[in-house]
Amino acid sequence: MTGGATGGDRVRYLRYRPGPDPLAPPFDTAGALRGLGRGVFAGKRPHQALRDLLRQGVQGTAGTDELLRQVQERREQVARRGGLDGVLRRARAELDRAVGMELRALAADPSDDARIRESELASLPHDTAAALRHLLTEPYPWRSDEAREAVARLLEDVRNDFVDARLGWPGARRARGVQGSRGALASDPARVAAMATALAALLEADAHGEPVDLDRFMAGHGAFFPEFAEHPRDLDDLAEALARRSAAARAHASSLSPDRRAELEGLIGEATREAGLAEALDRLADALLRRRPDLVREAFAEVDGARELGLAEAVDLIEELAELDELGRALGGGLGGGGFAGRGGLDGVDGLDGVDPAVAGRLLGPEAAEAVGRLAEVEPRLRDAGLLTGGRSRPRLTPQAVRQLGEAALRDLATGAEGRRAYRSGGHGRAQDRASGRAQAQAGDPGATVPWEPGSPAPLDAVATVREAVVRRAADPGSPLLSPEDLRAVETEERTAAAVCLLVDLSSSMVRGGLFGPAREAALALYTLVGARYPQDAVRVVGFDETARPLSAADLLEAAGPRVQGSNVQHALLLAREHFGRHPGRAPVVVLVTDGEPTAHIGRDGSPEFAWPPRPETAGKTEAELDALAAAGATVTLIVPGVGEAASSSAGEAASGLTGRTASGLTRAVTARGGRVVRTAGAGLGATVIDAYRSRRPRT
């Protein structure tokens, strides 16, 4: 359509074609990596974390779980659309109407012949096909022309419905739409039979490796396939839609009871007796099935609706149900019974490769197509950005991804509300930095800043001060434009190097409490902070359960092994002491994260010994390691996660309880040696770890 406009401009109106939203925000690769990282921190392998990310959705689009819910909801709606035997009910109603018209014509005739015919009509079989066979085998001499024409229309309608059910959209229905309500397919069954025979022969020849002349076939029968405006790409292209339609027609028949199926086959046989139409279409269906045996459909016995569907409408319904089941399986659905059985491709991450956004859009709507498109690009985008490597079924995070996850973890701790509260509580963290998206300033940089303190001779840094105020106001819009805590001064003092050891409990209790992921994320954030802001410090992270072992930054993103009981704090403290021995002259800092008492220690033979309840020997060996650290000048900050809002205690508070709890053996041992105990909610664990490190590292 065109329309006039000022200056003689012309406007063209084109048909709407669904596609990606041009106003949609660009793909957030960093956000996708962050979502993937949450699963990896929790101990999942990258392919498992990626699968979970796709299940949850990205950037506000539906994930596969939501799409599966929509598939199931749509499936239930389709299954209630109508009954599968509606063609038999319609045919019986039309036949009864024709018989009624004939009986009215016979009632006006007082002859014995009329009574005999009335008796014959009254004794017609209830089976519609058998009744028609009785009337057609020895042609019944109709008295009513209207009745005779009604039976002829009934047979013609069943034949047309049968052709439509077998050829379906876009062939038969579209041809009828172009050529009229009857068209060539309805008025010339011989032509349909010739096309079906020729296409079956073409498929059979191709299956035997013989050459096929597709051009010749299209020249003779192209009118049946108007969807191919010029020419199909190949024989598979031509056969694909017909194969799906044929499979749906077979599934429709198998969904009927044996009696109704036999009645339908008989009805179709009577309607298509001429020109060998049924035989030709059956031969074509067999050839299509041999070409696409994967399209064999199971019965859909759950279909049950009040509306009486014609044969083509019923096959439409079956075809849509089959497509919904295919979509459900591809999305990872595992419903059994009347749903999509089995597991889909998401078990191997690349399952969305088999999901066509156009199909999802046609079945569920344009938003589903957009969601499938977004989900399908998650993994390729991460790979293109250099964040994932390895095979499709077992992807791996690259060093660049590890670095970015560390920066993101540190940035979240520095800018999040939990992080700010943890940093600012108790007066600790006077030297904390705000993480930005870029690497932190290196040690000794003249641009590095620290919180300004009254009486400090260091000059104020206006840019850093404004940045702090903006970050604070973003989290709390009602706060003042400028607060004393926003003030930043240029750092001029020299730093003393530290040897820091973070000891993280990775036992099964931490996993059960949901603390495993936050603990590993906190450790990666510490690695990132030290590497970027305090490169002169020597940092070591030790993970422990029944035994303790050093963990690199990459190790923190490895999949979790089997859950192991036991918290061997003694072994972890021993590895910390060894770390300090390798870095003499650096101030020792120990941060210990555990949610329970020590329950394991290293025995005389060097193997771990676990006991519950804890044995006195375990407590004694743990306290001996604390004594050795204290002798080396190291103080321990014990962080107990998962117990509510952050609170701290010192040696003097140990006797009266910690945040309302009776002091445990470990907390008493730590505080008795000048250490500090901090209890924190799981969400604040990372910020508490960073604060403990920053507040304990020495400054000169």
mmCIF file of all heavy atoms in Angstrom, residues 138-165:
data_model
loop_
_atom_site.group_PDB
_atom_site.id
_atom_site.type_symbol
_atom_site.label_atom_id
_atom_site.label_comp_id
_atom_site.label_asym_id
_atom_site.label_seq_id
_atom_site.Cartn_x
_atom_site.Cartn_y
_atom_site.Cartn_z
ATOM 1 N N GLU A 138 -25.145 -51.573 -3.988
ATOM 2 C CA GLU A 138 -26.246 -51.704 -4.963
ATOM 3 C C GLU A 138 -27.017 -50.397 -4.857
ATOM 4 O O GLU A 138 -27.809 -50.229 -3.946
ATOM 5 C CB GLU A 138 -27.136 -52.894 -4.630
ATOM 6 C CG GLU A 138 -26.418 -54.232 -4.773
ATOM 7 C CD GLU A 138 -27.334 -55.397 -4.475
ATOM 8 O OE1 GLU A 138 -28.530 -55.143 -4.242
ATOM 9 O OE2 GLU A 138 -26.859 -56.532 -4.467
ATOM 10 N N PRO A 139 -26.722 -49.469 -5.736
ATOM 11 C CA PRO A 139 -27.205 -48.097 -5.535
ATOM 12 C C PRO A 139 -28.679 -48.045 -5.137
ATOM 13 O O PRO A 139 -29.556 -48.604 -5.806
ATOM 14 C CB PRO A 139 -26.960 -47.435 -6.888
ATOM 15 C CG PRO A 139 -25.839 -48.227 -7.482
ATOM 16 C CD PRO A 139 -26.049 -49.632 -7.021
ATOM 17 N N TYR A 140 -28.903 -47.371 -4.006
ATOM 18 C CA TYR A 140 -30.255 -47.198 -3.502
ATOM 19 C C TYR A 140 -31.023 -46.254 -4.435
ATOM 20 O O TYR A 140 -30.517 -45.177 -4.782
ATOM 21 C CB TYR A 140 -30.198 -46.642 -2.085
ATOM 22 C CG TYR A 140 -31.551 -46.316 -1.501
ATOM 23 C CD1 TYR A 140 -32.320 -47.316 -0.920
ATOM 24 C CD2 TYR A 140 -32.056 -45.019 -1.542
ATOM 25 C CE1 TYR A 140 -33.567 -47.029 -0.378
ATOM 26 C CE2 TYR A 140 -33.304 -44.725 -1.007
ATOM 27 C CZ TYR A 140 -34.049 -45.738 -0.432
ATOM 28 O OH TYR A 140 -35.288 -45.453 0.089
ATOM 29 N N PRO A 141 -32.256 -46.632 -4.824
ATOM 30 C CA PRO A 141 -33.055 -45.770 -5.725
ATOM 31 C C PRO A 141 -33.739 -44.646 -4.945
ATOM 32 O O PRO A 141 -34.855 -44.810 -4.440
ATOM 33 C CB PRO A 141 -34.071 -46.742 -6.322
ATOM 34 C CG PRO A 141 -34.249 -47.807 -5.291
ATOM 35 C CD PRO A 141 -32.931 -47.945 -4.587
ATOM 36 N N TRP A 142 -33.050 -43.541 -4.807
ATOM 37 C CA TRP A 142 -33.554 -42.435 -4.003
ATOM 38 C C TRP A 142 -34.839 -41.853 -4.593
ATOM 39 O O TRP A 142 -34.947 -41.651 -5.790
ATOM 40 C CB TRP A 142 -32.508 -41.335 -3.898
ATOM 41 C CG TRP A 142 -31.244 -41.753 -3.185
ATOM 42 C CD1 TRP A 142 -30.128 -42.200 -3.760
ATOM 43 C CD2 TRP A 142 -31.031 -41.759 -1.788
ATOM 44 N NE1 TRP A 142 -29.176 -42.499 -2.817
ATOM 45 C CE2 TRP A 142 -29.705 -42.227 -1.582
ATOM 46 C CE3 TRP A 142 -31.803 -41.421 -0.674
ATOM 47 C CZ2 TRP A 142 -29.156 -42.371 -0.310
ATOM 48 C CZ3 TRP A 142 -31.247 -41.556 0.589
ATOM 49 C CH2 TRP A 142 -29.939 -42.027 0.769
ATOM 50 N N ARG A 143 -35.817 -41.634 -3.735
ATOM 51 C CA ARG A 143 -37.022 -40.892 -4.138
ATOM 52 C C ARG A 143 -36.776 -39.392 -4.017
ATOM 53 O O ARG A 143 -37.330 -38.612 -4.794
ATOM 54 C CB ARG A 143 -38.196 -41.288 -3.239
ATOM 55 C CG ARG A 143 -38.718 -42.687 -3.460
ATOM 56 C CD ARG A 143 -39.513 -42.789 -4.756
ATOM 57 N NE ARG A 143 -40.135 -44.101 -4.885
ATOM 58 C CZ ARG A 143 -41.356 -44.389 -4.420
ATOM 59 N NH1 ARG A 143 -42.065 -43.459 -3.795
ATOM 60 N NH2 ARG A 143 -41.849 -45.595 -4.578
ATOM 61 N N SER A 144 -35.969 -38.989 -3.032
ATOM 62 C CA SER A 144 -35.720 -37.565 -2.788
ATOM 63 C C SER A 144 -34.418 -37.149 -3.455
ATOM 64 O O SER A 144 -33.345 -37.676 -3.133
ATOM 65 C CB SER A 144 -35.640 -37.302 -1.273
ATOM 66 O OG SER A 144 -35.148 -36.011 -1.016
ATOM 67 N N ASP A 145 -34.503 -36.208 -4.403
ATOM 68 C CA ASP A 145 -33.289 -35.689 -5.032
ATOM 69 C C ASP A 145 -32.401 -34.964 -4.009
ATOM 70 O O ASP A 145 -31.169 -35.033 -4.089
ATOM 71 C CB ASP A 145 -33.658 -34.726 -6.162
ATOM 72 C CG ASP A 145 -34.313 -35.444 -7.330
ATOM 73 O OD1 ASP A 145 -34.090 -36.676 -7.449
ATOM 74 O OD2 ASP A 145 -35.024 -34.783 -8.091
ATOM 75 N N GLU A 146 -33.021 -34.286 -3.059
ATOM 76 C CA GLU A 146 -32.248 -33.586 -2.029
ATOM 77 C C GLU A 146 -31.447 -34.570 -1.186
ATOM 78 O O GLU A 146 -30.283 -34.314 -0.830
ATOM 79 C CB GLU A 146 -33.184 -32.770 -1.132
ATOM 80 C CG GLU A 146 -33.811 -31.564 -1.821
ATOM 81 C CD GLU A 146 -34.681 -30.767 -0.858
ATOM 82 O OE1 GLU A 146 -34.935 -31.268 0.258
ATOM 83 O OE2 GLU A 146 -35.092 -29.657 -1.228
ATOM 84 N N ALA A 147 -32.061 -35.727 -0.872
ATOM 85 C CA ALA A 147 -31.365 -36.733 -0.082
ATOM 86 C C ALA A 147 -30.189 -37.306 -0.864
ATOM 87 O O ALA A 147 -29.095 -37.496 -0.311
ATOM 88 C CB ALA A 147 -32.326 -37.844 0.320
ATOM 89 N N ARG A 148 -30.399 -37.598 -2.149
ATOM 90 C CA ARG A 148 -29.314 -38.134 -2.980
ATOM 91 C C ARG A 148 -28.152 -37.138 -3.061
ATOM 92 O O ARG A 148 -26.983 -37.502 -2.942
ATOM 93 C CB ARG A 148 -29.841 -38.457 -4.376
ATOM 94 C CG ARG A 148 -28.772 -39.055 -5.288
ATOM 95 C CD ARG A 148 -29.345 -39.525 -6.618
ATOM 96 N NE ARG A 148 -30.032 -38.464 -7.303
ATOM 97 C CZ ARG A 148 -31.360 -38.379 -7.420
ATOM 98 N NH1 ARG A 148 -32.151 -39.320 -6.876
ATOM 99 N NH2 ARG A 148 -31.939 -37.383 -8.065
ATOM 100 N N GLU A 149 -28.489 -35.852 -3.254
ATOM 101 C CA GLU A 149 -27.443 -34.829 -3.334
ATOM 102 C C GLU A 149 -26.727 -34.661 -1.990
ATOM 103 O O GLU A 149 -25.510 -34.408 -1.946
ATOM 104 C CB GLU A 149 -28.055 -33.508 -3.771
ATOM 105 C CG GLU A 149 -28.560 -33.523 -5.203
ATOM 106 C CD GLU A 149 -29.336 -32.259 -5.558
ATOM 107 O OE1 GLU A 149 -29.469 -31.391 -4.660
ATOM 108 O OE2 GLU A 149 -29.810 -32.148 -6.701
ATOM 109 N N ALA A 150 -27.445 -34.822 -0.902
ATOM 110 C CA ALA A 150 -26.828 -34.690 0.424
ATOM 111 C C ALA A 150 -25.803 -35.799 0.648
ATOM 112 O O ALA A 150 -24.708 -35.555 1.202
ATOM 113 C CB ALA A 150 -27.901 -34.736 1.512
ATOM 114 N N VAL A 151 -26.137 -37.036 0.215
ATOM 115 C CA VAL A 151 -25.180 -38.128 0.359
ATOM 116 C C VAL A 151 -23.962 -37.889 -0.532
ATOM 117 O O VAL A 151 -22.816 -38.142 -0.134
ATOM 118 C CB VAL A 151 -25.850 -39.481 0.035
ATOM 119 C CG1 VAL A 151 -24.803 -40.600 -0.034
ATOM 120 C CG2 VAL A 151 -26.902 -39.817 1.081
ATOM 121 N N ALA A 152 -24.182 -37.372 -1.744
ATOM 122 C CA ALA A 152 -23.062 -37.078 -2.645
ATOM 123 C C ALA A 152 -22.157 -36.005 -2.043
ATOM 124 O O ALA A 152 -20.922 -36.098 -2.111
ATOM 125 C CB ALA A 152 -23.593 -36.640 -4.005
ATOM 126 N N ARG A 153 -22.766 -34.976 -1.423
ATOM 127 C CA ARG A 153 -21.962 -33.926 -0.786
ATOM 128 C C ARG A 153 -21.197 -34.482 0.410
ATOM 129 O O ARG A 153 -20.058 -34.093 0.661
ATOM 130 C CB ARG A 153 -22.855 -32.760 -0.345
ATOM 131 C CG ARG A 153 -23.279 -31.844 -1.465
ATOM 132 C CD ARG A 153 -23.828 -30.527 -0.916
ATOM 133 N NE ARG A 153 -24.919 -30.740 0.022
ATOM 134 C CZ ARG A 153 -26.203 -30.852 -0.319
ATOM 135 N NH1 ARG A 153 -26.553 -30.768 -1.604
ATOM 136 N NH2 ARG A 153 -27.139 -31.035 0.592
ATOM 137 N N LEU A 154 -21.857 -35.394 1.150
ATOM 138 C CA LEU A 154 -21.189 -36.007 2.290
ATOM 139 C C LEU A 154 -19.920 -36.719 1.845
ATOM 140 O O LEU A 154 -18.844 -36.542 2.425
ATOM 141 C CB LEU A 154 -22.143 -36.987 2.977
ATOM 142 C CG LEU A 154 -21.509 -37.973 3.983
ATOM 143 C CD1 LEU A 154 -20.848 -37.238 5.129
ATOM 144 C CD2 LEU A 154 -22.571 -38.943 4.507
ATOM 145 N N LEU A 155 -20.026 -37.523 0.778
ATOM 146 C CA LEU A 155 -18.861 -38.250 0.283
ATOM 147 C C LEU A 155 -17.787 -37.295 -0.226
ATOM 148 O O LEU A 155 -16.586 -37.503 -0.007
ATOM 149 C CB LEU A 155 -19.285 -39.215 -0.817
ATOM 150 C CG LEU A 155 -20.205 -40.363 -0.372
ATOM 151 C CD1 LEU A 155 -20.726 -41.131 -1.583
ATOM 152 C CD2 LEU A 155 -19.471 -41.296 0.578
ATOM 153 N N GLU A 156 -18.233 -36.231 -0.910
ATOM 154 C CA GLU A 156 -17.270 -35.264 -1.428
ATOM 155 C C GLU A 156 -16.566 -34.536 -0.282
ATOM 156 O O GLU A 156 -15.335 -34.331 -0.327
ATOM 157 C CB GLU A 156 -17.978 -34.262 -2.333
ATOM 158 C CG GLU A 156 -17.041 -33.254 -2.969
ATOM 159 C CD GLU A 156 -17.781 -32.235 -3.830
ATOM 160 O OE1 GLU A 156 -18.986 -32.008 -3.578
ATOM 161 O OE2 GLU A 156 -17.157 -31.657 -4.729
ATOM 162 N N ASP A 157 -17.330 -34.168 0.738
ATOM 163 C CA ASP A 157 -16.716 -33.469 1.870
ATOM 164 C C ASP A 157 -15.722 -34.366 2.604
ATOM 165 O O ASP A 157 -14.638 -33.906 3.011
ATOM 166 C CB ASP A 157 -17.803 -32.998 2.841
ATOM 167 C CG ASP A 157 -18.605 -31.826 2.295
ATOM 168 O OD1 ASP A 157 -18.125 -31.195 1.326
ATOM 169 O OD2 ASP A 157 -19.707 -31.558 2.819
ATOM 170 N N VAL A 158 -16.054 -35.633 2.788
ATOM 171 C CA VAL A 158 -15.127 -36.548 3.448
ATOM 172 C C VAL A 158 -13.868 -36.713 2.607
ATOM 173 O O VAL A 158 -12.745 -36.737 3.131
ATOM 174 C CB VAL A 158 -15.800 -37.909 3.709
ATOM 175 C CG1 VAL A 158 -14.773 -38.933 4.196
ATOM 176 C CG2 VAL A 158 -16.912 -37.771 4.737
ATOM 177 N N ARG A 159 -14.039 -36.811 1.278
ATOM 178 C CA ARG A 159 -12.877 -36.948 0.401
ATOM 179 C C ARG A 159 -11.987 -35.709 0.487
ATOM 180 O O ARG A 159 -10.758 -35.808 0.618
ATOM 181 C CB ARG A 159 -13.324 -37.179 -1.038
ATOM 182 C CG ARG A 159 -12.155 -37.390 -2.004
ATOM 183 C CD ARG A 159 -12.633 -37.658 -3.419
ATOM 184 N NE ARG A 159 -13.281 -36.500 -3.996
ATOM 185 C CZ ARG A 159 -14.531 -36.476 -4.456
ATOM 186 N NH1 ARG A 159 -15.283 -37.574 -4.384
ATOM 187 N NH2 ARG A 159 -15.048 -35.389 -4.960
ATOM 188 N N ASN A 160 -12.605 -34.549 0.418
ATOM 189 C CA ASN A 160 -11.821 -33.306 0.522
ATOM 190 C C ASN A 160 -11.121 -33.209 1.877
ATOM 191 O O ASN A 160 -9.954 -32.798 1.973
ATOM 192 C CB ASN A 160 -12.723 -32.093 0.328
ATOM 193 C CG ASN A 160 -13.305 -32.015 -1.053
ATOM 194 O OD1 ASN A 160 -12.806 -32.643 -1.982
ATOM 195 N ND2 ASN A 160 -14.384 -31.255 -1.200
ATOM 196 N N ASP A 161 -11.841 -33.597 2.937
ATOM 197 C CA ASP A 161 -11.261 -33.547 4.280
ATOM 198 C C ASP A 161 -10.082 -34.504 4.388
ATOM 199 O O ASP A 161 -9.058 -34.205 5.012
ATOM 200 C CB ASP A 161 -12.342 -33.917 5.294
ATOM 201 C CG ASP A 161 -12.114 -33.259 6.655
ATOM 202 O OD1 ASP A 161 -11.233 -32.378 6.753
ATOM 203 O OD2 ASP A 161 -12.817 -33.626 7.612
ATOM 204 N N PHE A 162 -10.220 -35.668 3.764
ATOM 205 C CA PHE A 162 -9.148 -36.661 3.785
ATOM 206 C C PHE A 162 -7.912 -36.144 3.053
ATOM 207 O O PHE A 162 -6.779 -36.268 3.537
ATOM 208 C CB PHE A 162 -9.658 -37.955 3.156
ATOM 209 C CG PHE A 162 -8.584 -38.991 2.951
ATOM 210 C CD1 PHE A 162 -7.935 -39.567 4.016
ATOM 211 C CD2 PHE A 162 -8.235 -39.385 1.668
ATOM 212 C CE1 PHE A 162 -6.956 -40.534 3.832
ATOM 213 C CE2 PHE A 162 -7.255 -40.336 1.465
ATOM 214 C CZ PHE A 162 -6.606 -40.917 2.546
ATOM 215 N N VAL A 163 -8.113 -35.541 1.866
ATOM 216 C CA VAL A 163 -6.987 -34.986 1.115
ATOM 217 C C VAL A 163 -6.315 -33.879 1.923
ATOM 218 O O VAL A 163 -5.084 -33.806 2.013
ATOM 219 C CB VAL A 163 -7.461 -34.460 -0.255
ATOM 220 C CG1 VAL A 163 -6.341 -33.684 -0.947
ATOM 221 C CG2 VAL A 163 -7.930 -35.602 -1.133
ATOM 222 N N ASP A 164 -7.126 -33.028 2.527
ATOM 223 C CA ASP A 164 -6.581 -31.938 3.339
ATOM 224 C C ASP A 164 -5.810 -32.484 4.533
ATOM 225 O O ASP A 164 -4.737 -31.981 4.888
ATOM 226 C CB ASP A 164 -7.726 -31.054 3.815
ATOM 227 C CG ASP A 164 -7.256 -29.687 4.288
ATOM 228 O OD1 ASP A 164 -6.038 -29.471 4.380
ATOM 229 O OD2 ASP A 164 -8.113 -28.838 4.566
ATOM 230 N N ALA A 165 -6.343 -33.541 5.155
ATOM 231 C CA ALA A 165 -5.665 -34.120 6.311
ATOM 232 C C ALA A 165 -4.328 -34.729 5.923
ATOM 233 O O ALA A 165 -3.363 -34.675 6.693
ATOM 234 C CB ALA A 165 -6.556 -35.179 6.956
#
